[in-house]
Amino acid sequence: MADKKAWLSFSDREDKIELAVHSGTVGPDAVDIAGLYRDAGVFTYDPGFLSTASCSSAITYIDGDKGILRYRGYPIEQLAAESTFLEVSYLLMYGELPTREQLDDYVCKITHHTMINESLLRFFEGFHYDAHPMAMMVGVVGSLSGFYHDSIDMNDPQHRELAAHRLVAKMPTIAAAAYKHNVGERVMYPRNDLSYVGNFLQMMFGRPCEAYCVDPLAERALDLLFILHADHEQNASTSSVRLVGSSGANPFACIAAGVASLWGPAHGGANEAVLRMLEEIGDASQIDKYLDKAKDKDDPFRLMGFGHRVYKNYDPRARIIREVCLQVLEKLADSNNPLFELARRLEERALHDEYFLERGLYPNVDFYSGIIYRALGIPESMFTVMFAIARTAGWVSHWMEMWDDPKHRIGRPRQLYVGADRRDYVPLEERRD
Ligand code: SDX
């Protein structure tokens, strides 16, 4: 794979280390440093992994400068316009768009895995009524490994595929059950006559006392949001899934780790934080004050939904979501939605501000998504849960890709040690402040 070379020399040593340079299909080359410690006795140093490729992958490609996002080579704009979330989850998992027969078979399999064991439903009773639904997701998803022993032999590709299907299928059921626990309502069982998103909506908002009609607007908007959130290369939660999976941990534990990582406000928790931020800003007259807070290094406040480790241009997902937001609000006769207007004004002001422009801080996937979720009646506490449902497609795809690589091995980073040098134990009576 490597025909290019790089050389590393040191100011305090004579030797020069030759390193292979790998080229991918598209995007930056990667300098292979795997043998560096063996050959030169040094580590590389990259806290936060700004310049580190942790693996090779064929799933998603991002170009942060050009604002490009492709799943298996297909531009996100085309998938958003033409595809469905389940078709995209198939594409991410298997690498190719399904034929009609393959898609029908896949949808049937996912549909028939949406139920969860009755004992799992009792788990929710153990949570305080106002437990954050992400806390319930982490706990219940992790506990799936206690139920599905027939799909946790990591060395069996059929077990891996079955576990992946179960996870994609059951996340909406678990998510809706967490919501029902919060609102004190009886859970709604899955319905196999509905679409993946239609079923989720009925499990969320359906009630035993009346028939539930799926709103096509909400169904299409959520399906589109799920497509846009399905995968994003080696982000924090996907990297968590890969690292946990590299030890051979079962897939349910791996996805629970992904859910936990996604919960952070710097990652998937940002969509919930954006709504709280907009409500704190209140109205356009306060925008300058909050932009100044965001720029003040002594102030922990950040403009939530802005900035991205990779995109130093407009996040292509944010551009699409803003349009969907406008369409949803217009169809709900709410085109003057104050939160959306405030978000638009905030974006406009930030994108004319040197601080944000020179740092390449643009709206990201989380900036507008929460406004849509709220317009569809989904509470803020469920916003990151929505992200987790969608990202499960990416998480299981990366987990499968890692296991399909016969050369994969446990991930075990090293460190630059800056602690105390060797010193002898001091008996308690001899210690002084
Ligand atoms: C997601 O990785 C992914 O792909 C993630 C994701 C996915 O699909 O999986 O895209 C989903 O997580 C989107 C990001 C959601 N998070 C937020 O919206 C939270 C707000 N954003 C930031 O916290 C921040 O921008 C990050 C975490 C997204 C990125 O952080 P980085 O890459 O570590 O950048 P940084 O913190 O080093 O910031 C660089 C500079 C700093 O200023 P200087 O020290 O250079 O003067 O930009 C500033 C930061 O202070 N900065 C911000 C800012 N984000 C960065 N200043 C104000 N407001 C912000 N939002």
Side-chain angles (χ1 to χ4, degrees):
M1 182 156 89
D3 49 17
K4 297 179 189 172
K5 302 287 182 197
W7 286 270
L8 177 63
S9 56
F10 301 85
S11 55
D12 61 346
R13 294 164 44 166
E14 293 305 316
D15 58 335
K16 195 159 75 167
I17 310 294
E18 181 179 290
L19 301 168
V21 177
H22 301 306
S23 298
T25 314
V26 62
D29 286 348
V31 177
D32 190 327
I33 56 161
L36 186 59
Y37 180 58
R38 178 199 61 219
D39 299 342
V42 296
F43 298 141
T44 57
Y45 184 66
D46 184 12
F49 308 120
L50 286 97
S51 303
T52 294
S54 60
C55 61
S56 61
S57 178
I59 297 174
T60 290
Y61 174 69
I62 303 172
D63 181 321
D65 295 326
K66 296 180 186 145
I68 289 173
L69 168 58
R70 299 178 193 143
Y71 293 163
R72 298 286 188 179
Y74 295 98
I76 192 66
E77 294 81 5
Q78 293 181 21
L79 293 170
E82 308 290 341
S83 190
T84 63
F85 172 68
L86 278 190
E87 181 178 78
V88 163
S89 69
Y90 181 100
L91 172 65
L92 290 169
M93 245 185 255
Y94 297 104
E96 298 297 334
L97 289 170
T99 61
R100 162 57 58 193
E101 186 185 357
Q102 289 169 329
L103 182 58
D104 290 347
D105 174 59
Y106 176 73
V107 170
C108 180
K109 282 177 178 158
I110 297 296
T111 300
H112 290 86
H113 279 298
T114 50
M115 294 269 286
I116 58 176
N117 188 296
E118 282 295 300
S119 304
L120 266 172
L121 289 176
R122 288 197 286 278
F123 275 54
F124 294 93
E125 292 158 25
F127 288 98
H128 201 262
Y129 75 92
D130 63 354
H132 195 289
M134 282 297 280
M136 293 188 255
M137 293 297 288
V138 171
V140 175
V141 170
S143 68
L144 290 172
S145 39
F147 291 81
Y148 299 109
H149 302 288
D150 61 342
S151 65
I152 55 175
D153 173 2
M154 295 308 95
N155 297 303
D156 181 338
Q158 289 180 330
H159 276 213
R160 300 202 296 265
E161 183 180 44
L162 177 55
H165 289 176
R166 279 176 162 152
L167 281 156
V168 170
K170 296 179 192 306
M171 289 299 269
T173 309
I174 296 168
Y179 170 70
K180 286 299 193 186
H181 183 67
N182 279 154
V183 297
E185 290 182 10
R186 181 182 173 286
V187 298
M188 296 297 288
Y189 281 71
R191 277 180 45 188
N192 292 352
D193 61 314
L194 297 176
S195 71
Y196 184 83
V197 171
N199 184 36
F200 172 66
L201 287 166
Q202 77 87 17
M203 291 190 289
M204 280 282 289
F205 302 119
R207 292 192 172 100
C209 46
E210 58 191 5
Y212 181 80
C213 292
V214 176
D215 173 355
L217 169 69
E219 188 176 28
R220 177 58 192 145
L222 280 187
D223 194 78
L224 179 48
L225 285 169
F226 283 172
I227 290 171
L228 296 171
H229 286 80
D231 193 52
H232 213 239
E233 199 214 65
Q234 305 308 323
N235 58 85
S237 54
T238 300
S239 298
S240 302
V241 169
R242 279 180 174 262
L243 191 56
V244 170
S246 72
S247 73
N250 73 73
F252 307 105
C254 296
I255 301 308
V259 174
S261 172
L262 187 73
W263 194 2
H267 190 14
N271 53 18
E272 184 180 343
V274 166
L275 259 287
R276 288 203 304 273
M277 174 186 74
L278 291 174
E279 287 170 334
E280 182 183 340
I281 293 173
D283 64 64
S285 67
Q286 298 301 303
I287 285 177
D288 284 343
K289 170 187 162 190
Y290 279 87
L291 287 182
D292 290 341
K293 281 171 63 71
K295 296 185 278 190
D296 178 357
K297 294 303 169 200
D298 297 326
D299 190 324
F301 176 82
R302 283 202 160 181
L303 214 51
M304 301 313 279
F306 257 74
H308 198 279
R309 172 60 59 75
V310 177
Y311 291 123
K312 299 310 172 190
N313 196 321
Y314 218 100
D315 182 333
R317 301 166 298 174
R319 203 187 298 278
I320 298 169
I321 292 174
R322 186 180 59 185
E323 288 317 307
V324 172
C325 198
L326 203 48
Q327 292 161 17
V328 168
L329 293 175
E330 281 169 353
K331 286 181 182 165
L332 293 174
D334 188 17
S335 48
N336 297 320
N337 179 291
L339 279 180
F340 182 66
E341 279 314 304
L342 179 57
R344 292 272 294 267
R345 297 281 295 275
L346 180 59
E347 173 193 348
E348 190 184 343
R349 297 296 291 283
L351 296 190
H352 286 85
D353 185 301
E354 261 316 295
Y355 173 93
F356 293 90
L357 293 177
E358 66 191 20
R359 290 169 177 80
L361 302 176
Y362 290 80
N364 59 47
V365 68
D366 293 305
F367 189 61
Y368 287 104
S369 54
I371 297 172
I372 300 176
Y373 292 142
R374 171 176 282 191
L376 298 178
I378 294 166
E380 282 167 31
S381 61
M382 285 292 290
F383 288 3
T384 309
V385 175
M386 305 299 288
F387 199 148
I389 292 171
R391 188 51 58 88
T392 295
W395 289 334
V396 297
S397 302
H398 282 272
W399 175 76
M400 291 170 88
E401 183 180 64
M402 180 185 72
W403 274 97
D404 287 343
D405 174 3
K407 298 199 301 294
H408 88 270
R409 53 201 307 191
I410 190 168
R412 205 283 187 207
R414 300 303 304 273
Q415 63 178 14
L416 177 68
Y417 177 70
V418 294
D421 200 346
R422 187 194 181 287
R423 53 184 175 168
D424 295 322
Y425 183 80
V426 179
L428 187 56
E429 59 279 1
E430 294 176 19
R431 293 175 207 163
R432 296 292 174 266
D433 287 344

